[in-house]
Amino acid sequence: MAELKLVPRSEFERVRMADAPRDDRLELLGDMARANALTAVKRAGSGHLGSSFSAMDIVVHLFEEELTTAQVGWDHPDRDVYFSSKGHDVPGLYAVLHSFGVIPTERLLRLRRLDGLDGHPDVGVPGIEANSGSLGMGISKGRGMAWAKQFLGRGGRVVVMVGDGELQEGQNWEALQAGAHQPMGNLIVVVDRNELQSDKRTEEIVALGALEEKLHRFGWYVDACDGHSHDELREVFEDFRAEPERPKILVAHTIKGKGVSFMEHPFALEEGGGTYRWHAGAPDDDAFERAFAELTERISERLAAHDLGTLELEDVPSLEPESPVSLEGEPASGAGAPRPRLKASAEYVAEAYGDALLDLAGSYPELVVLDADLASDCRIRGFELRYPDRFIEVGIAEQDMVSVAAGLARQGLLPVVNSFAAFLASRANEQIYNAAGEGARIVYGMHYAGLIPAGPGKSHQSLRDASLLGALPNVAVVHPANAEETRAVVEWAVEVAAESVAIRLAIGPSPRRIELPDGYRLASGRGTVLVAGADAVVLSYGPVMLHEALTAAGGLRTRGIQLAVVDMPWLNRFDAAWLEETIAPFEHVFVVEDHSPVGALGDALRRELQRPVTVYGVEGWPACGTPTEALRFHRLDGASLADRIVAVLR
Amino acid sequence: MAELKLVPRSEFERVRMADAPRDDRLELLGDMARANALTAVKRAGSGHLGSSFSAMDIVVHLFEEELTTAQVGWDHPDRDVYFSSKGHDVPGLYAVLHSFGVIPTERLLRLRRLDGLDGHPDVGVPGIEANSGSLGMGISKGRGMAWAKQFLGRGGRVVVMVGDGELQEGQNWEALQAGAHQPMGNLIVVVDRNELQSDKRTEEIVALGALEEKLHRFGWYVDACDGHSHDELREVFEDFRAEPERPKILVAHTIKGKGVSFMEHPFALEEGGGTYRWHAGAPDDDAFERAFAELTERISERLAAHDLGTLELEDVPSLEPESPVSLEGEPASGAGAPRPRLKASAEYVAEAYGDALLDLAGSYPELVVLDADLASDCRIRGFELRYPDRFIEVGIAEQDMVSVAAGLARQGLLPVVNSFAAFLASRANEQIYNAAGEGARIVYGMHYAGLIPAGPGKSHQSLRDASLLGALPNVAVVHPANAEETRAVVEWAVEVAAESVAIRLAIGPSPRRIELPDGYRLASGRGTVLVAGADAVVLSYGPVMLHEALTAAGGLRTRGIQLAVVDMPWLNRFDAAWLEETIAPFEHVFVVEDHSPVGALGDALRRELQRPVTVYGVEGWPACGTPTEALRFHRLDGASLADRIVAVLR
């Protein structure tokens, strides 16, 4: 890995105190924080630079000049509160908090690691005022904070950053309507109008149109400016002070990737052939080095121009990831770009999903694919390119997507809906219920299901989705083990199923290719014995947890215990005869879940078998960290599972 | 009950064919349909007249003059599609469908009855194109239908009615943004701008402001007119035809309650002292008779004016409800107004909830109550009046409400969030997850939990809410048995609990007052034995199901079976010692759920006890009908439960 360096906190202090024009200092501080965000993301192996950089000058401006937070104290009740609703720009915020000493250096270097800094904001981290990362909640939450401050007679304002793509989420407009109705003068919203969402132009995905006019019509006091000009920002906040009674919104026109020439929009979009590559994911060594050099050179030049000496950098140990690289896959947007596959199994079940849809499209002209701005991650970009007339992009609006799908289904089409499971099953839950109530047949592609990758944190990890769909009478929840089974499940969902089917899919590369026996065929409600064993049986699903279950079985074999391992992709459908024949004979039945132990396979199996089942799932909040860290933390890695099973059997 | 009469279908046909000016005929048809909607609602004992009447002239205009549906056939693929997103105006639509012979008379007279007409639209009913009743999904769904029609080369337009208050739901704005981005010329939205929501003015709850300007800024082709003037409506639809490429929206200015003078806004609002009384619920006999007389007299006058003879009416048997009146309580808005209490137990647990909040408010100045336009139903109107500065109205926007509460909690307040369980737990699920992830302590008042009342239908009945919250690590789900326990639960949630608490509450009157033993005290995770018995134990919760469980126990006693009945308000929290002592000794453990058998007490108990538990919950989709019909349909009435338990014990 490239050699990593950090701008130490002392350098920020030096610049703050320097005898140089104010805006030059602010610009310097912005670039220094950019350099540190870059290093932190590079070291983490994932994170969102494009949006961290577009928002950076605003964040620096706020904390250096506008907000009282640093002066009155980060826990003071009268402090100004700042948080970002989009949340994925948090590496930039971490770098700024580090520059104030709120986050220590060792923690900045543990971005997306256990006991480090969550991949999306979490109030467990100093200086973080709100959990976010799931889009659209920030203006509402900011209203609550601002209301409370007024009610409690507390000083300080609340400043909420939102993304422009994020404004596709309907909750924003609920909040904007209510915000104008119950005006709070201590609330300020800043739109980071960088004009790009995950990898395309906002105006291409779902246009915001005349945004300032819209916001004005919604009754807010609206200003706009260049979000990289401290002078203009200063003027806007001055202007806002003259409007003490109304909620205020600033549309800050910014440049995604600002500060690193080859990451900047529109250059980067053009270079990427219409796809912006720097939304998420760590740059490779070469790109990192070029970016870091560009930033530090500009910093040095500016320091020199003001006779401020040379830039001191501190070395950073380029810690190798603790976990097997095969598990390090990260989603391309919303969570982190796919990393080079390295030693991975080369199998991505989501690819098999996308390929299967493409293959089925020819025979099933009624098949239509829907996307909520995660087409690359959900592996449906191929479908979009091949069948543009059968691809519907709704933007970041999961509720709209599901109800659109319900409308398509009412006209006899077969919609295939895609998003991350964490968003789809919860944000659009009532819409899924409504569609199911119409008897709609919809395929739900629930991507990024389960614990891994664990770097993005709890806003993105999906450990509740099966429970959220479990009480629907006509939605089968299925989680395939490998590419072959994924294809079989998609075919079953499209060709056979009489009900809706929610397909849980791992988003990263499979830690190993789960081998299915010769002559494997998918059969509704039946699992597949992967390893025979007489002492006990473990049922699991998906490539991540089956890998750990198989590892546990291997370990147990050396300890003289023969653990049968069953791939059970059906989380809420059971073939009674198969259960009776294959599972019932075992005295000990274990389930290893890529889900909370509540509401998934374990519960369903107990309901079906009316017998004790020992369930190992993700207890409590999912850990943020590398896959190995997260699995170990939850005692779901093979070795821990073996120990836990032994403890039960003895 | 008042004598009920119906305008027979033949009278509609006669008017359609009559030699009279077109608009006079349309106005006659509107009033005739109003009379029939009124009779259907009166007979059902609940239903929404105000909104049925405001939308009526538009619905009549559409079906009589504008839509192809009646001509080409109600199942023809090229038909124009009409549906109402708000859905509670469906009695009006049913009356119109009846006038075309799509719904037979005997079915119109089974509004809100088993095998009759659902209280909110359901595609199982002829002529109903979409399920609705849970607000905000219609424009999205209409877009899906319109897209499919274009894709499939089908003729016909899609016309979606939305309420004005409904526009507070954010999903509308998702749909409006995307609808402008991917314009569909075959999509028309009509806003029934009657300016009232459940019982107050929209501009008072959360103002829509310059609605037409907003919609215009969102890129739609906007028209406005008097929604009761056929001439103006005709002009608008003519105008729309000149805009074949763009989606179109009509803001139809209407009068809530139109057609019955004392139900009309603004008169009715003034008469009600600022509260509109005719949003939901059947009128009493006197009001019904006055309304029916006013309508039929006007109809007769108009018939006479055009020499069209006298109005023929057919008698309607004024069927007494099949069910004990004690169960007939209906929510005041969104589902039906509270009926006179008659022989009810006089206990409303929701009242005890509201009273407890009022009593706690003095000692807990951090307690703040939030509402999403269901203040009357949720029994927090008293709190609103007494503590207006601690009451936050967000409008019909459950997601916004929960995130506002999260913001309040971040500032140290204790928010109490209120809505119907069906909406709150699902529509705002991801926001609840996000708040829980911040460790927020929030009290969720989940009103109208469970199967009863069953008249409003599946959009309102809440049989999934416990499952939707079950996998959250720090949210206790509690369902109290009676007023006393409700008060204890609220006190516990406010004073003791270290986590968020979701309180499920029956909305109607308790079928009986569940008697708790002397010296009863609420203890976390522990139930209360209501009836001792040695042969088996049944755990249940809430007044509705405990009543049935007690009835079952009574019936079994006469058959020589001693069934212990335990009130178990804790759906996901257990005191292990209590379980071991009180439940474990029984060979047979039964659970009777006011919920799906998936994801509530039964599952949790099996998880906890690791033993078989027989669970009787609401299987499949909840039945729509009277309480007795619904309970019997699901075999959850006392007699059925007794039979089911006997079958297991033998």
Side-chain angles (χ1 to χ4, degrees):
Chain A
M1 198 194 256
E3 201 178 313
L4 303 184
K5 289 181 184 297
L6 211 62
V7 182
R9 202 195 145 199
S10 52
E11 288 293 90
F12 287 89
E13 286 300 329
R14 194 164 70 86
V15 169
R16 279 187 191 114
M17 299 298 142
D19 181 22
R22 186 161 57 167
D23 288 2
D24 290 2
R25 280 185 283 127
L26 293 174
E27 284 172 17
L28 262 169
L29 292 167
D31 275 345
M32 291 158 72
R34 282 188 179 93
N36 283 357
L38 178 67
T39 292
V41 165
K42 176 63 180 167
R43 197 158 187 278
S46 60
H48 296 74
L49 289 174
S51 181
S52 290
F53 287 2
S54 65
M56 183 62 87
D57 293 315
I58 300 163
V59 175
V60 166
H61 188 90
L62 286 169
F63 281 104
E64 297 288 344
E65 190 157 293
E66 189 60 33
L67 303 181
T68 61
T69 328
Q71 285 89 60
V72 304
W74 301 83
D75 286 320
H76 195 286
D78 291 328
R79 72 185 180 277
D80 284 336
V81 166
Y82 166 80
F83 70 93
S84 167
S85 178
K86 52 180 170 159
H88 53 252
D89 55 358
V90 77
L93 176 58
Y94 288 150
V96 172
L97 292 172
H98 167 260
S99 81
F100 281 96
V102 178
I103 290 177
T105 300
E106 51 278 21
R107 196 154 181 190
L108 183 63
L109 296 175
R110 289 191 63 77
L111 175 61
R112 295 183 170 229
R113 299 299 293 266
L114 196 65
D115 300 324
L117 299 174
D118 299 73
H120 287 84
D122 191 283
V123 294
V125 173
I128 297 298
E129 299 276 6
N131 285 21
S132 59
S134 177
L135 301 175
M137 303 182 195
I139 306 179
S140 302
K141 201 178 279 189
R143 276 178 46 232
M145 292 178 181
W147 191 95
K149 273 183 172 291
Q150 292 192 348
F151 175 74
L152 294 165
R154 286 183 178 168
R157 294 159 298 170
V158 178
V159 181
V160 183
M161 174 86 75
V162 301
D164 50 357
E166 183 179 12
L167 290 174
Q168 288 157 0
E169 286 283 6
Q171 187 181 349
N172 292 293
W173 302 97
E174 295 179 354
L176 288 164
Q177 286 193 119
H181 189 76
Q182 299 131 357
M184 278 168 274
N186 57 346
L187 178 62
I188 294 174
V189 173
V190 180
V191 182
D192 182 12
R193 183 81 168 112
N194 63 30
E195 297 184 8
L196 287 179
Q197 27 203 113
S198 59
D199 54 11
K200 286 189 180 179
R201 292 176 60 242
T202 302
E203 298 309 289
E204 183 182 344
I205 296 287
V206 168
L208 295 177
L211 178 59
E212 286 137 64
E213 287 280 1
K214 277 185 191 174
L215 297 168
H216 175 68
R217 285 291 163 205
F218 268 71
W220 284 55
Y221 183 80
V222 186
D223 248 334
C225 79
D226 174 354
H228 303 298
S229 160
H230 292 284
D231 201 45
E232 291 193 22
L233 286 166
R234 192 172 295 119
E235 205 171 306
V236 165
F237 285 103
E238 200 53 54
D239 185 35
F240 280 176
R241 258 180 277 276
E243 283 287 336
E245 303 301 329
R246 297 171 67 186
K248 291 159 281 280
I249 192 160
L250 164 61
V251 179
H253 294 279
T254 61
I255 294 167
K256 197 152 177 172
K258 173 73 178 180
V260 173
S261 53
F262 62 87
M263 294 183 180
E264 286 188 1
H265 178 65
F267 171 83
L269 191 70
E270 281 159 27
E271 197 202 33
T275 303
Y276 183 80
R277 290 191 298 139
W278 310 103
H279 174 72
D284 63 19
D285 286 359
D286 173 61
F288 168 77
E289 276 161 5
R290 284 189 292 135
F292 198 79
E294 180 178 332
L295 286 165
T296 49
E297 277 162 25
R298 191 165 60 239
I299 294 165
S300 297
E301 280 166 21
R302 282 183 173 162
L303 287 173
H306 295 294
D307 285 331
L308 294 173
T310 56
L311 175 67
E312 298 289 328
L313 293 174
E314 61 182 310
D315 288 336
V316 168
S318 72
L319 197 65
E320 282 302 309
E322 291 168 19
S323 60
V325 288
S326 62
L327 282 170
E328 284 290 291
E330 290 261 333
S333 66
R339 307 181 65 198
R341 286 201 202 156
L342 305 170
K343 291 180 285 175
S345 74
E347 179 193 77
Y348 281 77
V349 289
E351 261 177 25
Y353 166 87
D355 291 346
L357 290 177
L358 263 179
D359 291 346
L360 288 161
S363 312
Y364 294 87
E366 69 272 29
L367 194 155
V368 174
V369 171
L370 292 92
D371 176 44
D373 192 31
L374 289 171
S376 296
D377 287 325
C378 299
R379 310 296 178 135
I380 48 175
R381 190 70 87 199
F383 195 100
E384 178 183 11
L385 294 171
R386 177 94 169 275
Y387 297 100
D389 59 325
R390 290 163 65 181
F391 182 88
I392 301 178
E393 176 60 67
V394 300
I396 307 171
E398 298 76 15
Q399 302 188 84
D400 183 54
M401 176 167 58
V402 172
S403 295
V404 167
L408 299 172
R410 287 290 304 154
Q411 290 282 325
L413 298 179
L414 177 59
V416 182
V417 162
N418 294 276
S419 188
F420 287 174
F423 309 149
L424 182 53
S426 63
R427 185 73 62 112
N429 191 277
E430 197 174 15
Q431 289 74 16
I432 294 173
Y433 174 75
N434 174 275
E438 291 180 344
R441 209 160 76 81
I442 295 175
V443 178
Y444 295 99
M446 304 214 297
H447 300 266
Y448 191 176
L451 179 67
I452 305 301
K458 63 166 83 84
S459 61
H460 284 61
Q461 294 160 288
S462 189
L463 288 319
R464 299 194 306 132
D465 51 277
S467 72
L468 296 177
L469 304 180
L472 292 166
N474 54 351
V475 179
V477 182
V478 194
H479 192 150
N482 65 8
E484 181 185 357
E485 191 164 68
T486 299
R487 171 173 288 275
V489 166
V490 175
E491 288 171 356
W492 178 81
V494 170
E495 299 179 334
V496 180
E499 58 188 343
S500 287
V501 183
I503 307 177
R504 299 186 95 219
L505 291 166
I507 197 162
S510 303
R512 73 167 86 172
R513 183 189 292 277
I514 305 296
E515 294 295 332
L516 294 168
D518 290 346
Y520 160 83
R521 277 184 61 115
L522 182 77
S524 174
R526 300 168 76 103
T528 301
V529 179
L530 301 181
V531 173
D535 297 328
V537 63
V538 59
L539 296 90
S540 193
Y541 47 85
V544 173
M545 289 302 170
L546 279 170
H547 169 68
E548 302 302 336
L550 289 167
T551 304
L556 288 172
R557 213 169 304 125
T558 67
R559 292 152 88 168
I561 295 169
Q562 309 301 321
L563 179 70
V565 180
V566 172
D567 161 33
M568 183 55 186
W570 306 92
L571 272 58
N572 62 348
R573 294 290 179 268
F574 300 99
D575 178 314
W578 175 82
L579 274 185
E580 182 59 31
E581 186 184 325
T582 311
I583 305 303
F586 286 96
E587 186 186 347
H588 292 283
V589 177
F590 296 91
V591 166
V592 174
E593 306 251 29
D594 207 357
H595 193 279
S596 158
V598 175
L601 178 59
D603 276 359
L605 207 57
R606 279 195 211 95
R607 198 182 308 128
E608 198 71 18
L609 291 173
Q610 289 283 357
R611 59 167 285 177
V613 174
T614 303
V615 177
Y616 301 133
V618 178
E619 306 264 359
W621 300 104
C624 173
T626 66
T628 303
E629 285 172 346
L631 288 163
R632 279 202 195 127
F633 178 86
H634 290 289
R635 296 187 296 144
L636 291 171
D637 60 295
S640 301
L641 287 171
D643 289 345
R644 296 168 85 179
I645 290 170
V646 166
V648 170
L649 296 183
R650 289 208 172 123
Chain B
M1 198 194 258
E3 200 178 313
L4 302 185
K5 289 182 184 294
L6 210 61
V7 181
R9 202 194 148 200
S10 52
E11 288 293 89
F12 287 89
E13 286 301 329
R14 193 163 72 86
V15 168
R16 277 187 193 113
M17 300 298 142
D19 181 21
R22 185 160 59 165
D23 288 2
D24 290 1
R25 280 184 285 126
L26 291 174
E27 284 173 17
L28 262 169
L29 292 167
D31 275 344
M32 291 158 72
R34 282 188 179 92
N36 283 357
L38 177 68
T39 291
V41 165
K42 176 62 179 166
R43 196 159 187 279
S46 60
H48 296 73
L49 289 174
S51 181
S52 290
F53 287 1
S54 66
M56 182 62 87
D57 293 315
I58 300 163
V59 176
V60 166
H61 188 90
L62 285 169
F63 280 103
E64 298 288 343
E65 190 157 291
E66 188 59 32
L67 304 181
T68 61
T69 327
Q71 285 88 60
V72 303
W74 299 84
D75 286 319
H76 195 288
D78 291 329
R79 73 185 181 276
D80 284 335
V81 167
Y82 167 80
F83 69 93
S84 167
S85 178
K86 52 179 170 161
H88 53 251
D89 55 358
V90 76
L93 176 59
Y94 288 149
V96 172
L97 292 172
H98 166 260
S99 81
F100 281 96
V102 177
I103 290 177
T105 300
E106 50 280 14
R107 197 154 180 189
L108 182 64
L109 295 176
R110 289 192 62 78
L111 175 61
R112 296 184 169 227
R113 299 299 292 266
L114 195 65
D115 301 324
L117 298 174
D118 299 73
H120 288 84
D122 191 284
V123 295
V125 174
I128 297 298
E129 299 276 7
N131 285 21
S132 60
S134 177
L135 301 175
M137 303 181 195
I139 306 180
S140 303
K141 201 179 277 188
R143 276 178 45 233
M145 292 177 180
W147 191 96
K149 274 184 173 289
Q150 291 192 348
F151 176 73
L152 294 165
R154 287 182 179 170
R157 292 160 298 170
V158 178
V159 181
V160 183
M161 174 86 75
V162 300
D164 50 357
E166 182 179 13
L167 290 175
Q168 289 157 0
E169 286 284 6
Q171 187 181 347
N172 292 293
W173 302 96
E174 296 179 354
L176 289 165
Q177 286 193 120
H181 189 76
Q182 298 131 357
M184 277 168 274
N186 56 346
L187 177 62
I188 294 174
V189 173
V190 180
V191 182
D192 181 13
R193 183 80 169 112
N194 61 31
E195 298 183 7
L196 288 179
Q197 26 203 112
S198 58
D199 54 12
K200 287 189 180 178
R201 292 177 59 243
T202 302
E203 297 309 290
E204 182 182 346
I205 297 287
V206 168
L208 295 177
L211 177 60
E212 285 138 63
E213 286 280 1
K214 276 186 191 174
L215 297 168
H216 174 67
R217 285 292 163 202
F218 268 71
W220 283 56
Y221 183 81
V222 186
D223 248 333
C225 79
D226 174 352
H228 302 299
S229 160
H230 293 285
D231 201 45
E232 290 193 23
L233 287 166
R234 192 173 295 119
E235 205 171 304
V236 165
F237 286 103
E238 200 53 54
D239 185 34
F240 281 176
R241 258 181 276 277
E243 283 288 335
E245 303 302 329
R246 298 171 67 186
K248 292 159 280 281
I249 191 160
L250 163 62
V251 178
H253 294 279
T254 60
I255 294 167
K256 197 151 178 172
K258 173 74 178 180
V260 173
S261 54
F262 63 87
M263 294 183 179
E264 285 188 2
H265 178 62
F267 171 83
L269 191 71
E270 282 159 28
E271 197 203 33
T275 303
Y276 183 81
R277 291 191 297 139
W278 310 102
H279 174 72
D284 64 20
D285 286 359
D286 173 61
F288 168 77
E289 277 161 5
R290 284 190 293 136
F292 197 80
E294 180 177 332
L295 285 165
T296 48
E297 277 162 24
R298 192 166 59 239
I299 293 165
S300 298
E301 281 166 20
R302 282 184 173 161
L303 287 173
H306 294 296
D307 284 331
L308 294 173
T310 55
L311 176 67
E312 298 289 330
L313 293 174
E314 62 182 311
D315 287 337
V316 168
S318 73
L319 197 64
E320 282 303 308
E322 291 167 18
S323 61
V325 288
S326 64
L327 281 169
E328 283 290 293
E330 290 262 333
S333 64
R339 306 180 66 198
R341 287 202 200 154
L342 305 170
K343 290 180 285 175
S345 75
E347 178 192 78
Y348 280 76
V349 289
E351 259 177 26
Y353 166 86
D355 291 346
L357 289 177
L358 262 179
D359 292 347
L360 288 161
S363 312
Y364 294 87
E366 70 272 28
L367 195 155
V368 174
V369 171
L370 293 92
D371 175 45
D373 192 31
L374 289 170
S376 295
D377 288 325
C378 298
R379 308 296 178 136
I380 49 175
R381 190 70 87 198
F383 195 100
E384 178 183 11
L385 294 171
R386 176 92 169 276
Y387 296 102
D389 59 326
R390 291 163 67 181
F391 182 88
I392 301 179
E393 176 60 66
V394 300
I396 306 170
E398 298 76 15
Q399 302 188 81
D400 184 53
M401 175 166 60
V402 172
S403 294
V404 167
L408 299 171
R410 287 290 302 154
Q411 290 281 325
L413 299 178
L414 176 60
V416 182
V417 162
N418 295 276
S419 187
F420 287 175
F423 310 149
L424 182 53
S426 63
R427 185 73 61 111
N429 191 278
E430 196 174 15
Q431 288 75 13
I432 294 173
Y433 174 76
N434 174 275
E438 291 180 344
R441 208 160 77 79
I442 296 175
V443 179
Y444 295 100
M446 304 214 298
H447 300 266
Y448 190 176
L451 178 67
I452 304 301
K458 64 165 84 83
S459 61
H460 284 60
Q461 294 160 289
S462 188
L463 288 318
R464 300 194 307 133
D465 51 277
S467 71
L468 296 177
L469 305 179
L472 292 167
N474 55 351
V475 179
V477 182
V478 195
H479 192 151
N482 64 9
E484 180 185 358
E485 191 163 68
T486 299
R487 171 173 288 274
V489 166
V490 175
E491 287 170 357
W492 178 82
V494 170
E495 299 180 334
V496 181
E499 58 188 343
S500 287
V501 182
I503 307 177
R504 300 186 95 220
L505 291 165
I507 197 161
S510 303
R512 73 166 85 172
R513 184 189 292 276
I514 305 296
E515 293 295 333
L516 293 169
D518 290 347
Y520 160 83
R521 276 184 60 113
L522 182 77
S524 174
R526 299 167 76 103
T528 302
V529 178
L530 301 181
V531 174
D535 296 328
V537 63
V538 59
L539 296 90
S540 193
Y541 47 85
V544 173
M545 288 302 168
L546 278 170
H547 168 69
E548 302 301 336
L550 290 167
T551 304
L556 287 173
R557 212 169 305 125
T558 67
R559 292 152 87 168
I561 295 169
Q562 308 301 320
L563 179 71
V565 179
V566 173
D567 161 33
M568 183 55 186
W570 306 91
L571 272 57
N572 63 347
R573 295 289 179 269
F574 300 98
D575 178 314
W578 176 81
L579 274 186
E580 183 58 33
E581 187 184 324
T582 311
I583 305 303
F586 286 96
E587 186 187 346
H588 292 283
V589 177
F590 295 90
V591 167
V592 174
E593 307 250 29
D594 207 358
H595 193 279
S596 158
V598 175
L601 179 58
D603 277 358
L605 207 57
R606 280 195 210 97
R607 199 183 307 128
E608 198 70 18
L609 292 172
Q610 290 284 356
R611 59 167 285 177
V613 174
T614 303
V615 177
Y616 302 133
V618 178
E619 306 263 359
W621 301 103
C624 174
T626 65
T628 302
E629 284 172 346
L631 287 164
R632 278 201 195 129
F633 177 86
H634 290 289
R635 296 187 296 145
L636 291 171
D637 60 296
S640 302
L641 287 172
D643 290 344
R644 295 169 86 179
I645 289 169
V646 166
V648 170
L649 296 183
R650 283 192 181 139

